[in-house]
Amino acid sequence: MNAVMPLNDHGYRSSGLRTARDAEYDAFSRVTRMLRQSPRQTDNQDTILAVHTNTELWTLLAFDLAEPGNALPDTTKAGLMSLAGFAIRHGHAVMAGEAATDPLIDINMTVMRGLRGEGAA
């Protein structure tokens, strides 16, 4: 997963001492923090921005997973692609006022645990 590199334009920078995995964790951490600090429904600008940013992150991740040079095992790629599809669809439901952000937070936290080696993502 190297999908977070394009997020540098959005303030997700890492020093040269950090690994790509650290940068990926940092991107998920920042987006998840945005989701957690905003109301769970999209009746405000903070939640809309958080959900949009989360959708952007998952879209970039999906593109990275689909790249022929992505070295992750096929089962891991398939699982993450499935999560990406759900996160994007659920984000659209949140934006339409039909759902809350809690599942997005849960998914991101699961990925973060996986990036830290605390469980499969």
Side-chain angles (χ1 to χ4, degrees):
M1 290 184 347
N2 290 319
V4 298
M5 295 309 165
L7 289 176
N8 284 343
D9 293 340
H10 301 283
Y12 303 116
R13 301 192 189 284
S14 64
S15 72
L17 300 176
R18 295 174 53 92
T19 66
R21 191 175 200 131
D22 291 335
E24 290 161 353
Y25 181 92
D26 186 51
F28 272 98
S29 176
R30 289 174 188 257
V31 171
T32 304
R33 187 176 314 113
M34 289 174 69
L35 289 166
R36 292 179 81 180
Q37 291 177 346
S38 63
R40 300 298 191 247
Q41 303 294 329
T42 55
D43 57 356
N44 66 85
Q45 187 175 7
D46 291 338
T47 305
I48 292 169
L49 178 60
V51 171
H52 171 75
T53 305
N54 190 68
T55 299
E56 184 178 51
L57 174 62
W58 278 102
T59 300
L60 290 169
L61 176 61
F63 275 111
D64 185 65
L65 291 167
E67 285 293 319
N70 187 300
L72 287 174
D74 288 342
T75 55
T76 302
K77 285 193 276 191
L80 287 168
M81 193 65 93
S82 178
L83 286 175
F86 175 83
I88 293 166
R89 284 189 308 276
H90 191 80
H92 291 157
V94 173
M95 295 290 250
E98 300 168 356
T101 59
D102 296 307
L104 299 175
I105 294 167
D106 292 342
I107 289 170
N108 288 3
M109 295 296 292
T110 299
V111 170
M112 290 165 59
R113 283 191 295 275
L115 287 168
R116 285 290 182 228
E118 299 171 9

PDB file of all heavy atoms in Angstrom, residues 37-65:
ATOM      1  N   GLN A  37     -13.793  13.481  15.561  1.00  0.00           N
ATOM      2  CA  GLN A  37     -13.995  14.801  16.160  1.00  0.00           C
ATOM      3  C   GLN A  37     -15.179  15.549  15.573  1.00  0.00           C
ATOM      4  O   GLN A  37     -15.525  16.621  16.057  1.00  0.00           O
ATOM      5  CB  GLN A  37     -12.719  15.641  16.029  1.00  0.00           C
ATOM      6  CG  GLN A  37     -11.596  15.122  16.893  1.00  0.00           C
ATOM      7  CD  GLN A  37     -10.304  15.894  16.717  1.00  0.00           C
ATOM      8  OE1 GLN A  37     -10.136  16.671  15.780  1.00  0.00           O
ATOM      9  NE2 GLN A  37      -9.359  15.661  17.611  1.00  0.00           N
ATOM     10  N   SER A  38     -15.800  14.989  14.559  1.00  0.00           N
ATOM     11  CA  SER A  38     -16.958  15.646  13.954  1.00  0.00           C
ATOM     12  C   SER A  38     -18.228  14.910  14.373  1.00  0.00           C
ATOM     13  O   SER A  38     -18.182  13.739  14.745  1.00  0.00           O
ATOM     14  CB  SER A  38     -16.821  15.657  12.427  1.00  0.00           C
ATOM     15  OG  SER A  38     -16.816  14.346  11.917  1.00  0.00           O
ATOM     16  N   PRO A  39     -19.372  15.607  14.307  1.00  0.00           N
ATOM     17  CA  PRO A  39     -20.635  14.923  14.596  1.00  0.00           C
ATOM     18  C   PRO A  39     -20.821  13.738  13.656  1.00  0.00           C
ATOM     19  O   PRO A  39     -20.302  13.718  12.541  1.00  0.00           O
ATOM     20  CB  PRO A  39     -21.688  16.007  14.345  1.00  0.00           C
ATOM     21  CG  PRO A  39     -20.951  17.292  14.559  1.00  0.00           C
ATOM     22  CD  PRO A  39     -19.560  17.030  14.044  1.00  0.00           C
ATOM     23  N   ARG A  40     -21.563  12.740  14.076  1.00  0.00           N
ATOM     24  CA  ARG A  40     -21.698  11.494  13.322  1.00  0.00           C
ATOM     25  C   ARG A  40     -22.590  11.618  12.087  1.00  0.00           C
ATOM     26  O   ARG A  40     -22.598  10.748  11.241  1.00  0.00           O
ATOM     27  CB  ARG A  40     -22.239  10.377  14.222  1.00  0.00           C
ATOM     28  CG  ARG A  40     -21.341  10.065  15.415  1.00  0.00           C
ATOM     29  CD  ARG A  40     -19.990   9.578  14.941  1.00  0.00           C
ATOM     30  NE  ARG A  40     -19.208   9.036  16.048  1.00  0.00           N
ATOM     31  CZ  ARG A  40     -18.097   9.601  16.494  1.00  0.00           C
ATOM     32  NH1 ARG A  40     -17.634  10.699  15.958  1.00  0.00           N
ATOM     33  NH2 ARG A  40     -17.435   9.046  17.490  1.00  0.00           N
ATOM     34  N   GLN A  41     -23.357  12.685  11.962  1.00  0.00           N
ATOM     35  CA  GLN A  41     -24.237  12.903  10.813  1.00  0.00           C
ATOM     36  C   GLN A  41     -23.711  14.090   9.999  1.00  0.00           C
ATOM     37  O   GLN A  41     -23.016  14.951  10.523  1.00  0.00           O
ATOM     38  CB  GLN A  41     -25.672  13.191  11.280  1.00  0.00           C
ATOM     39  CG  GLN A  41     -26.274  12.106  12.142  1.00  0.00           C
ATOM     40  CD  GLN A  41     -26.499  10.803  11.397  1.00  0.00           C
ATOM     41  OE1 GLN A  41     -26.763  10.801  10.202  1.00  0.00           O
ATOM     42  NE2 GLN A  41     -26.396   9.693  12.097  1.00  0.00           N
ATOM     43  N   THR A  42     -24.096  14.167   8.728  1.00  0.00           N
ATOM     44  CA  THR A  42     -23.569  15.222   7.857  1.00  0.00           C
ATOM     45  C   THR A  42     -24.456  16.447   7.814  1.00  0.00           C
ATOM     46  O   THR A  42     -24.808  16.940   6.750  1.00  0.00           O
ATOM     47  CB  THR A  42     -23.361  14.704   6.423  1.00  0.00           C
ATOM     48  OG1 THR A  42     -24.595  14.169   5.974  1.00  0.00           O
ATOM     49  CG2 THR A  42     -22.249  13.723   6.335  1.00  0.00           C
ATOM     50  N   ASP A  43     -24.781  16.966   8.954  1.00  0.00           N
ATOM     51  CA  ASP A  43     -25.541  18.212   8.971  1.00  0.00           C
ATOM     52  C   ASP A  43     -24.619  19.384   9.286  1.00  0.00           C
ATOM     53  O   ASP A  43     -25.059  20.425   9.736  1.00  0.00           O
ATOM     54  CB  ASP A  43     -26.692  18.134   9.977  1.00  0.00           C
ATOM     55  CG  ASP A  43     -26.211  17.802  11.385  1.00  0.00           C
ATOM     56  OD1 ASP A  43     -24.995  17.557  11.565  1.00  0.00           O
ATOM     57  OD2 ASP A  43     -27.053  17.789  12.285  1.00  0.00           O
ATOM     58  N   ASN A  44     -23.325  19.201   9.030  1.00  0.00           N
ATOM     59  CA  ASN A  44     -22.347  20.255   9.318  1.00  0.00           C
ATOM     60  C   ASN A  44     -21.133  20.105   8.409  1.00  0.00           C
ATOM     61  O   ASN A  44     -20.884  19.037   7.850  1.00  0.00           O
ATOM     62  CB  ASN A  44     -21.932  20.192  10.794  1.00  0.00           C
ATOM     63  CG  ASN A  44     -21.180  18.920  11.092  1.00  0.00           C
ATOM     64  OD1 ASN A  44     -19.982  18.867  10.892  1.00  0.00           O
ATOM     65  ND2 ASN A  44     -21.896  17.876  11.521  1.00  0.00           N
ATOM     66  N   GLN A  45     -20.396  21.173   8.294  1.00  0.00           N
ATOM     67  CA  GLN A  45     -19.248  21.224   7.384  1.00  0.00           C
ATOM     68  C   GLN A  45     -18.113  20.300   7.826  1.00  0.00           C
ATOM     69  O   GLN A  45     -17.445  19.691   6.986  1.00  0.00           O
ATOM     70  CB  GLN A  45     -18.752  22.665   7.291  1.00  0.00           C
ATOM     71  CG  GLN A  45     -17.676  22.875   6.263  1.00  0.00           C
ATOM     72  CD  GLN A  45     -17.300  24.336   6.122  1.00  0.00           C
ATOM     73  OE1 GLN A  45     -17.756  25.188   6.871  1.00  0.00           O
ATOM     74  NE2 GLN A  45     -16.466  24.630   5.155  1.00  0.00           N
ATOM     75  N   ASP A  46     -17.873  20.157   9.133  1.00  0.00           N
ATOM     76  CA  ASP A  46     -16.772  19.312   9.606  1.00  0.00           C
ATOM     77  C   ASP A  46     -16.969  17.853   9.214  1.00  0.00           C
ATOM     78  O   ASP A  46     -16.030  17.182   8.780  1.00  0.00           O
ATOM     79  CB  ASP A  46     -16.626  19.417  11.124  1.00  0.00           C
ATOM     80  CG  ASP A  46     -16.122  20.775  11.570  1.00  0.00           C
ATOM     81  OD1 ASP A  46     -15.497  21.486  10.761  1.00  0.00           O
ATOM     82  OD2 ASP A  46     -16.355  21.125  12.746  1.00  0.00           O
ATOM     83  N   THR A  47     -18.182  17.343   9.364  1.00  0.00           N
ATOM     84  CA  THR A  47     -18.447  15.955   9.012  1.00  0.00           C
ATOM     85  C   THR A  47     -18.350  15.752   7.507  1.00  0.00           C
ATOM     86  O   THR A  47     -17.785  14.755   7.046  1.00  0.00           O
ATOM     87  CB  THR A  47     -19.827  15.512   9.530  1.00  0.00           C
ATOM     88  OG1 THR A  47     -19.881  15.750  10.936  1.00  0.00           O
ATOM     89  CG2 THR A  47     -20.077  14.040   9.254  1.00  0.00           C
ATOM     90  N   ILE A  48     -18.865  16.688   6.745  1.00  0.00           N
ATOM     91  CA  ILE A  48     -18.784  16.588   5.282  1.00  0.00           C
ATOM     92  C   ILE A  48     -17.324  16.544   4.841  1.00  0.00           C
ATOM     93  O   ILE A  48     -16.938  15.699   4.021  1.00  0.00           O
ATOM     94  CB  ILE A  48     -19.545  17.755   4.613  1.00  0.00           C
ATOM     95  CG1 ILE A  48     -21.045  17.594   4.866  1.00  0.00           C
ATOM     96  CG2 ILE A  48     -19.231  17.823   3.120  1.00  0.00           C
ATOM     97  CD1 ILE A  48     -21.865  18.804   4.495  1.00  0.00           C
ATOM     98  N   LEU A  49     -16.486  17.407   5.392  1.00  0.00           N
ATOM     99  CA  LEU A  49     -15.064  17.409   5.040  1.00  0.00           C
ATOM    100  C   LEU A  49     -14.396  16.102   5.460  1.00  0.00           C
ATOM    101  O   LEU A  49     -13.612  15.525   4.696  1.00  0.00           O
ATOM    102  CB  LEU A  49     -14.349  18.596   5.679  1.00  0.00           C
ATOM    103  CG  LEU A  49     -12.848  18.681   5.414  1.00  0.00           C
ATOM    104  CD1 LEU A  49     -12.558  18.791   3.924  1.00  0.00           C
ATOM    105  CD2 LEU A  49     -12.251  19.856   6.177  1.00  0.00           C
ATOM    106  N   ALA A  50     -14.709  15.614   6.659  1.00  0.00           N
ATOM    107  CA  ALA A  50     -14.106  14.366   7.141  1.00  0.00           C
ATOM    108  C   ALA A  50     -14.494  13.187   6.252  1.00  0.00           C
ATOM    109  O   ALA A  50     -13.644  12.367   5.884  1.00  0.00           O
ATOM    110  CB  ALA A  50     -14.519  14.112   8.592  1.00  0.00           C
ATOM    111  N   VAL A  51     -15.766  13.089   5.902  1.00  0.00           N
ATOM    112  CA  VAL A  51     -16.224  11.983   5.053  1.00  0.00           C
ATOM    113  C   VAL A  51     -15.615  12.098   3.657  1.00  0.00           C
ATOM    114  O   VAL A  51     -15.180  11.094   3.071  1.00  0.00           O
ATOM    115  CB  VAL A  51     -17.764  11.927   4.998  1.00  0.00           C
ATOM    116  CG1 VAL A  51     -18.248  10.925   3.961  1.00  0.00           C
ATOM    117  CG2 VAL A  51     -18.328  11.575   6.376  1.00  0.00           C
ATOM    118  N   HIS A  52     -15.559  13.295   3.121  1.00  0.00           N
ATOM    119  CA  HIS A  52     -14.942  13.498   1.807  1.00  0.00           C
ATOM    120  C   HIS A  52     -13.471  13.075   1.826  1.00  0.00           C
ATOM    121  O   HIS A  52     -12.999  12.381   0.911  1.00  0.00           O
ATOM    122  CB  HIS A  52     -15.063  14.965   1.376  1.00  0.00           C
ATOM    123  CG  HIS A  52     -14.270  15.285   0.164  1.00  0.00           C
ATOM    124  ND1 HIS A  52     -14.656  14.897  -1.098  1.00  0.00           N
ATOM    125  CD2 HIS A  52     -13.081  15.932   0.022  1.00  0.00           C
ATOM    126  CE1 HIS A  52     -13.736  15.296  -1.975  1.00  0.00           C
ATOM    127  NE2 HIS A  52     -12.782  15.920  -1.314  1.00  0.00           N
ATOM    128  N   THR A  53     -12.748  13.470   2.860  1.00  0.00           N
ATOM    129  CA  THR A  53     -11.334  13.124   2.965  1.00  0.00           C
ATOM    130  C   THR A  53     -11.157  11.621   3.123  1.00  0.00           C
ATOM    131  O   THR A  53     -10.248  11.024   2.533  1.00  0.00           O
ATOM    132  CB  THR A  53     -10.683  13.885   4.138  1.00  0.00           C
ATOM    133  OG1 THR A  53     -10.916  15.284   3.969  1.00  0.00           O
ATOM    134  CG2 THR A  53      -9.185  13.636   4.194  1.00  0.00           C
ATOM    135  N   ASN A  54     -12.040  10.989   3.890  1.00  0.00           N
ATOM    136  CA  ASN A  54     -11.985   9.543   4.047  1.00  0.00           C
ATOM    137  C   ASN A  54     -12.234   8.844   2.708  1.00  0.00           C
ATOM    138  O   ASN A  54     -11.526   7.898   2.349  1.00  0.00           O
ATOM    139  CB  ASN A  54     -13.020   9.090   5.085  1.00  0.00           C
ATOM    140  CG  ASN A  54     -12.845   7.642   5.459  1.00  0.00           C
ATOM    141  OD1 ASN A  54     -11.860   7.267   6.077  1.00  0.00           O
ATOM    142  ND2 ASN A  54     -13.823   6.822   5.083  1.00  0.00           N
ATOM    143  N   THR A  55     -13.205   9.320   1.956  1.00  0.00           N
ATOM    144  CA  THR A  55     -13.496   8.742   0.644  1.00  0.00           C
ATOM    145  C   THR A  55     -12.306   8.920  -0.293  1.00  0.00           C
ATOM    146  O   THR A  55     -11.951   8.007  -1.045  1.00  0.00           O
ATOM    147  CB  THR A  55     -14.766   9.381   0.044  1.00  0.00           C
ATOM    148  OG1 THR A  55     -15.866   9.108   0.925  1.00  0.00           O
ATOM    149  CG2 THR A  55     -15.069   8.847  -1.340  1.00  0.00           C
ATOM    150  N   GLU A  56     -11.671  10.068  -0.229  1.00  0.00           N
ATOM    151  CA  GLU A  56     -10.489  10.318  -1.054  1.00  0.00           C
ATOM    152  C   GLU A  56      -9.366   9.341  -0.684  1.00  0.00           C
ATOM    153  O   GLU A  56      -8.722   8.772  -1.575  1.00  0.00           O
ATOM    154  CB  GLU A  56     -10.033  11.765  -0.857  1.00  0.00           C
ATOM    155  CG  GLU A  56      -8.879  12.162  -1.731  1.00  0.00           C
ATOM    156  CD  GLU A  56      -8.503  13.622  -1.529  1.00  0.00           C
ATOM    157  OE1 GLU A  56      -8.323  14.036  -0.362  1.00  0.00           O
ATOM    158  OE2 GLU A  56      -8.384  14.335  -2.525  1.00  0.00           O
ATOM    159  N   LEU A  57      -9.139   9.130   0.595  1.00  0.00           N
ATOM    160  CA  LEU A  57      -8.101   8.193   1.031  1.00  0.00           C
ATOM    161  C   LEU A  57      -8.385   6.786   0.527  1.00  0.00           C
ATOM    162  O   LEU A  57      -7.508   6.118  -0.032  1.00  0.00           O
ATOM    163  CB  LEU A  57      -7.990   8.200   2.563  1.00  0.00           C
ATOM    164  CG  LEU A  57      -7.048   7.161   3.176  1.00  0.00           C
ATOM    165  CD1 LEU A  57      -5.610   7.374   2.714  1.00  0.00           C
ATOM    166  CD2 LEU A  57      -7.129   7.221   4.703  1.00  0.00           C
ATOM    167  N   TRP A  58      -9.622   6.321   0.700  1.00  0.00           N
ATOM    168  CA  TRP A  58      -9.965   4.966   0.263  1.00  0.00           C
ATOM    169  C   TRP A  58      -9.926   4.834  -1.257  1.00  0.00           C
ATOM    170  O   TRP A  58      -9.580   3.782  -1.785  1.00  0.00           O
ATOM    171  CB  TRP A  58     -11.319   4.549   0.830  1.00  0.00           C
ATOM    172  CG  TRP A  58     -11.177   4.065   2.234  1.00  0.00           C
ATOM    173  CD1 TRP A  58     -11.480   4.736   3.381  1.00  0.00           C
ATOM    174  CD2 TRP A  58     -10.661   2.795   2.643  1.00  0.00           C
ATOM    175  NE1 TRP A  58     -11.184   3.955   4.473  1.00  0.00           N
ATOM    176  CE2 TRP A  58     -10.688   2.756   4.046  1.00  0.00           C
ATOM    177  CE3 TRP A  58     -10.193   1.681   1.956  1.00  0.00           C
ATOM    178  CZ2 TRP A  58     -10.260   1.656   4.779  1.00  0.00           C
ATOM    179  CZ3 TRP A  58      -9.762   0.575   2.688  1.00  0.00           C
ATOM    180  CH2 TRP A  58      -9.794   0.573   4.077  1.00  0.00           C
ATOM    181  N   THR A  59     -10.262   5.890  -1.982  1.00  0.00           N
ATOM    182  CA  THR A  59     -10.178   5.854  -3.445  1.00  0.00           C
ATOM    183  C   THR A  59      -8.723   5.720  -3.883  1.00  0.00           C
ATOM    184  O   THR A  59      -8.401   4.909  -4.765  1.00  0.00           O
ATOM    185  CB  THR A  59     -10.825   7.114  -4.048  1.00  0.00           C
ATOM    186  OG1 THR A  59     -12.197   7.167  -3.644  1.00  0.00           O
ATOM    187  CG2 THR A  59     -10.733   7.114  -5.567  1.00  0.00           C
ATOM    188  N   LEU A  60      -7.840   6.486  -3.264  1.00  0.00           N
ATOM    189  CA  LEU A  60      -6.411   6.383  -3.584  1.00  0.00           C
ATOM    190  C   LEU A  60      -5.872   4.996  -3.246  1.00  0.00           C
ATOM    191  O   LEU A  60      -5.089   4.418  -4.004  1.00  0.00           O
ATOM    192  CB  LEU A  60      -5.621   7.454  -2.836  1.00  0.00           C
ATOM    193  CG  LEU A  60      -5.837   8.885  -3.296  1.00  0.00           C
ATOM    194  CD1 LEU A  60      -5.219   9.863  -2.313  1.00  0.00           C
ATOM    195  CD2 LEU A  60      -5.258   9.082  -4.687  1.00  0.00           C
ATOM    196  N   LEU A  61      -6.318   4.467  -2.132  1.00  0.00           N
ATOM    197  CA  LEU A  61      -5.894   3.131  -1.734  1.00  0.00           C
ATOM    198  C   LEU A  61      -6.359   2.093  -2.762  1.00  0.00           C
ATOM    199  O   LEU A  61      -5.590   1.210  -3.156  1.00  0.00           O
ATOM    200  CB  LEU A  61      -6.447   2.787  -0.356  1.00  0.00           C
ATOM    201  CG  LEU A  61      -6.162   1.381   0.165  1.00  0.00           C
ATOM    202  CD1 LEU A  61      -4.674   1.137   0.304  1.00  0.00           C
ATOM    203  CD2 LEU A  61      -6.868   1.168   1.480  1.00  0.00           C
ATOM    204  N   ALA A  62      -7.603   2.211  -3.217  1.00  0.00           N
ATOM    205  CA  ALA A  62      -8.128   1.267  -4.212  1.00  0.00           C
ATOM    206  C   ALA A  62      -7.322   1.339  -5.511  1.00  0.00           C
ATOM    207  O   ALA A  62      -7.008   0.297  -6.103  1.00  0.00           O
ATOM    208  CB  ALA A  62      -9.610   1.543  -4.477  1.00  0.00           C
ATOM    209  N   PHE A  63      -6.980   2.546  -5.949  1.00  0.00           N
ATOM    210  CA  PHE A  63      -6.157   2.676  -7.158  1.00  0.00           C
ATOM    211  C   PHE A  63      -4.802   2.010  -6.957  1.00  0.00           C
ATOM    212  O   PHE A  63      -4.294   1.319  -7.833  1.00  0.00           O
ATOM    213  CB  PHE A  63      -5.965   4.144  -7.545  1.00  0.00           C
ATOM    214  CG  PHE A  63      -7.085   4.694  -8.368  1.00  0.00           C
ATOM    215  CD1 PHE A  63      -7.942   5.645  -7.837  1.00  0.00           C
ATOM    216  CD2 PHE A  63      -7.288   4.282  -9.672  1.00  0.00           C
ATOM    217  CE1 PHE A  63      -8.983   6.162  -8.588  1.00  0.00           C
ATOM    218  CE2 PHE A  63      -8.319   4.791 -10.445  1.00  0.00           C
ATOM    219  CZ  PHE A  63      -9.169   5.736  -9.893  1.00  0.00           C
ATOM    220  N   ASP A  64      -4.205   2.207  -5.794  1.00  0.00           N
ATOM    221  CA  ASP A  64      -2.907   1.609  -5.509  1.00  0.00           C
ATOM    222  C   ASP A  64      -3.005   0.087  -5.482  1.00  0.00           C
ATOM    223  O   ASP A  64      -2.135  -0.615  -6.002  1.00  0.00           O
ATOM    224  CB  ASP A  64      -2.366   2.125  -4.172  1.00  0.00           C
ATOM    225  CG  ASP A  64      -0.970   1.610  -3.896  1.00  0.00           C
ATOM    226  OD1 ASP A  64      -0.037   1.967  -4.633  1.00  0.00           O
ATOM    227  OD2 ASP A  64      -0.820   0.818  -2.935  1.00  0.00           O
ATOM    228  N   LEU A  65      -4.062  -0.434  -4.895  1.00  0.00           N
ATOM    229  CA  LEU A  65      -4.252  -1.883  -4.831  1.00  0.00           C
ATOM    230  C   LEU A  65      -4.411  -2.494  -6.220  1.00  0.00           C
ATOM    231  O   LEU A  65      -4.009  -3.631  -6.450  1.00  0.00           O
ATOM    232  CB  LEU A  65      -5.473  -2.222  -3.975  1.00  0.00           C
ATOM    233  CG  LEU A  65      -5.332  -1.951  -2.482  1.00  0.00           C
ATOM    234  CD1 LEU A  65      -6.695  -2.015  -1.809  1.00  0.00           C
ATOM    235  CD2 LEU A  65      -4.350  -2.919  -1.844  1.00  0.00           C
TER     236      LEU A  65
END
